[in-house]
């Protein structure tokens, strides 16, 4: 018995074609729905939050700047990214405790030398007979300046060649998180290795002076989040596990953010809103892990300094800050070596620079008030040091007429343009001071030959 016409089976090819058309229609409908949702989201975001695709990318970039780099990437930066490399090293460096300086980078690890400073020179440095050595002291911004150093050396070389020097070498004696008296200790320790001392500081010395911090940790100690865990005797397997979780969280958040930036959805506000949710969870998780790591060391060091009067503690640190600059000048001068002190600029110092759109995205609002107030104190201290005969310069307004982007992250570090401008500002001041006129002239090869002939007559 034959089958009825309406009951015959459809050929497989017809069923596949219909399935494909249905899937295509569903995808088209989904695409239209997503496009409409994206358009509405962008409209709402623009009108209520002033959030554009460009600002969204800046927001993700600001978070990436805060995430320490993967340790496996240390030292792997391209040649043209030296200043970004030093920023990453300051955040993600492997530190070790030091008996005089609090901490340095881990010796002979990555690009750190045998004393724990980022240079290919071994310390103690032995200079050549006609080589002029400039030592840069301070924190991670000083590291950035010394990490390049080419502009500074180029600017000073002609004046030093007039004094008989053939080579100018810039050496780093600086580490991420260093403040006073760490830089002073390093100056005294390495003075025999250098001919000129340049101290660049300011941010590390003020960002730690909040009343909450000085109640829990000695103001005149090295920076808490680096030194305290290193010096603590209460490290445990739990702390190691917590540090491991922290590293994994950083790595995952970096990959999520970089994947979005490299995807076709990098300009999607809808995707960015979803990313914000992930970033918020990451922030809460990381804050909890950091609190677990820091709480034991904070308790361990509490009571080392009087903390009933935080203003007195803060003022005592600032007196120390001023005194070590004064003493550094005296000690270097006694050895006939020029000493220069510079207070570095910072984007949180209100009105110090017309911030670009990129820089506004990097500003941590919570730091503006305390840093601005602290920098007024540093400006006053710098003036008092000058009146006392110390060559101290406040560079807080060096970018007052600069509209382009010079800051590289939400802390204190600079991009290549910013470091080049800082090096030029330092070189301008050194040359204008005429300090190089007092540098003893060294004998050139011709002078030595003439002296030898005169002695043999």
């Amino acid at each position: 018995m034959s089958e009825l016409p309406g009951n015959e089976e459809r050929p497989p090819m017809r069923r596949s074609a219909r399935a494909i058309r249905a899937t295509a229609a569903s995808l088209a409908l989904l695409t239209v729905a997503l496009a409409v949702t994206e358009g509405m989201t962008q409209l709402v975001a623009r009108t209520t939050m002033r959030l554009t695709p460009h600002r969204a990318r800046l927001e993700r970039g600001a978070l990436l700047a805060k995430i320490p780099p993967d340790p496996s990437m240390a030292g792997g930066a391209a040649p043209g990214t030296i200043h970004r490399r030093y920023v990453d090293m300051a955040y993600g460096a492997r530190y070790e405790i030091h008996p005089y300086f609090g901490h340095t980078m881990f010796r002979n690890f990555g690009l750190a030398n045998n004393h724990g400073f980022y240079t290919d020179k071994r310390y103690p440095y032995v200079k050549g007979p006609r080589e002029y050595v400039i030592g840069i002291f301070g924190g991670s911004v000083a590291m950035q300046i010394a990490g390049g150093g080419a502009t500074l050396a180029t600017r000073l070389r002609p004046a030093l060649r007039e004094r008989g020097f053939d080579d100018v070498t810039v050496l780093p004696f600086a580490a991420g998180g260093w403040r006073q008296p760490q830089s002073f200790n390093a100056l005294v320790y390495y003075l025999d290795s250098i001919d000129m001392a340049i101290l660049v500081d300011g941010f590390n010395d003020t960002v730690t002076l909040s009343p909450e911090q000085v109640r829990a940790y000695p103001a005149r100690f090295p920076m808490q989040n680096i030194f305290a865990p290193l010096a603590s005797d209460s490290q445990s397997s739990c702390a190691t596990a917590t540090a491991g979780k922290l590293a994994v969280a950083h790595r995952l958040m970096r990959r999520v953010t970089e994947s979005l930036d490299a995807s076709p959805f990098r300009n999607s506000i809808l995707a960015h809103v979803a990313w914000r949710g992930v970033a918020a969870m990451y922030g809460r998780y990381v804050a909890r892990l950091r609190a677990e790591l820091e709480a034991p060391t904070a308790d361990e060091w509490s009571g080392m300094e009087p903390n009933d009067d935080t203003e007195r503690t803060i003022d005592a640190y600032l007196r120390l800050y001023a005194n070590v600059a004064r003493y550094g000048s005296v000690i270097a001068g006694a050895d006939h070596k020029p000493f220069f002190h510079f207070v570095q600029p910072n984007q949180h110092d209100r009105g110090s620079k017309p911030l670009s759109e990129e820089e506004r995205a990097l500003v941590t609002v919570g730091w503006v008030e305390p840093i601005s107030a602290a920098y007024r104190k540093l400006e006053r201290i710098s003036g008092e040091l000058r009146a006392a005969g110390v060559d101290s310069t406040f560079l807080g307004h060096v970018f007052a007429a600069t509209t382009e982007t010079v800051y590289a992250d939400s802390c204190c570090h600079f991009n290549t343009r910013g470091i080049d401008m800082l090096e030029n500002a330092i070189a301008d001041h050194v040359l204008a001071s005429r300090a190089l006129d007092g540098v003893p002239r060294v004998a050139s090869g011709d002078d030595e030959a003439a002296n030898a002939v005169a002695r043999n007559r």
Side-chain angles (χ1 to χ4, degrees), residues 217-284:
Y217 187 78
R220 290 173 286 186
F221 267 35
M223 196 165 282
Q224 175 181 353
N225 59 340
I226 299 174
F227 175 74
L230 290 173
S232 174
D233 60 3
S234 60
Q235 294 298 299
S236 64
S237 57
C238 291
T240 302
T242 301
K245 292 177 185 177
L246 194 60
V248 171
H250 289 323
R251 183 178 301 176
L252 289 176
M253 193 66 228
R254 177 179 289 277
R255 288 180 179 175
V256 167
T257 306
E258 290 177 342
S259 296
L260 176 55
D261 283 337
S263 76
F265 301 103
R266 60 184 174 275
N267 292 322
S268 168
I269 296 298
L270 196 61
H272 182 72
V273 169
W275 172 88
R276 273 187 172 181
V278 176
M281 289 189 291
Y282 159 78
R284 290 191 295 269

Side-chain angles (χ1 to χ4, degrees), residues 242 245-246 281-295:
T242 301
K245 292 177 185 177
L246 194 60
M281 289 189 291
Y282 159 78
R284 290 191 295 269
Y285 182 63
V286 164
R288 180 171 61 81
L289 293 177
R290 283 176 172 160
E292 291 178 10
L293 286 175
E294 293 175 5

Side-chain angles (χ1 to χ4, degrees), residues 155-216:
R155 292 286 310 282
L156 301 186
R157 187 173 288 114
L160 287 167
R161 279 182 173 165
E162 291 181 1
R163 314 303 299 171
F165 293 92
D166 296 330
D167 299 314
V168 179
T169 301
V170 178
L171 293 181
F173 301 97
W178 267 20
R179 52 206 298 268
Q180 295 295 4
Q182 290 167 273
S183 297
F184 173 78
N185 294 344
L187 171 65
V188 175
Y189 193 89
Y190 290 108
L191 189 61
D192 287 343
S193 301
I194 64 173
D195 297 297
M196 176 191 292
I198 294 178
L199 170 60
V200 183
D201 62 15
F203 179 76
N204 291 346
D205 300 276
T206 55
V207 73
T208 58
L209 294 185
S210 69
E212 294 76 16
Q213 286 185 284
V214 299
R215 287 192 189 99

Side-chain angles (χ1 to χ4, degrees), residues 16 18 134 136 149 165 209 215 244 428 449:
S16 298
R18 175 170 288 185
I134 301 171
I136 309 292
F165 293 92
L209 294 185
R215 287 192 189 99
D428 286 343

Side-chain angles (χ1 to χ4, degrees), residues 14-16 35 98-99 106 133 180 308 315 333 367 372 376 378 390 415 440 443 450:
R14 291 180 61 188
R15 290 201 306 273
S16 298
H98 190 281
F106 204 85
V133 178
Q180 295 295 4
D308 55 332
D315 289 343
W367 281 353
S372 298
R376 299 291 70 76
L378 294 190
V390 179
N415 60 19

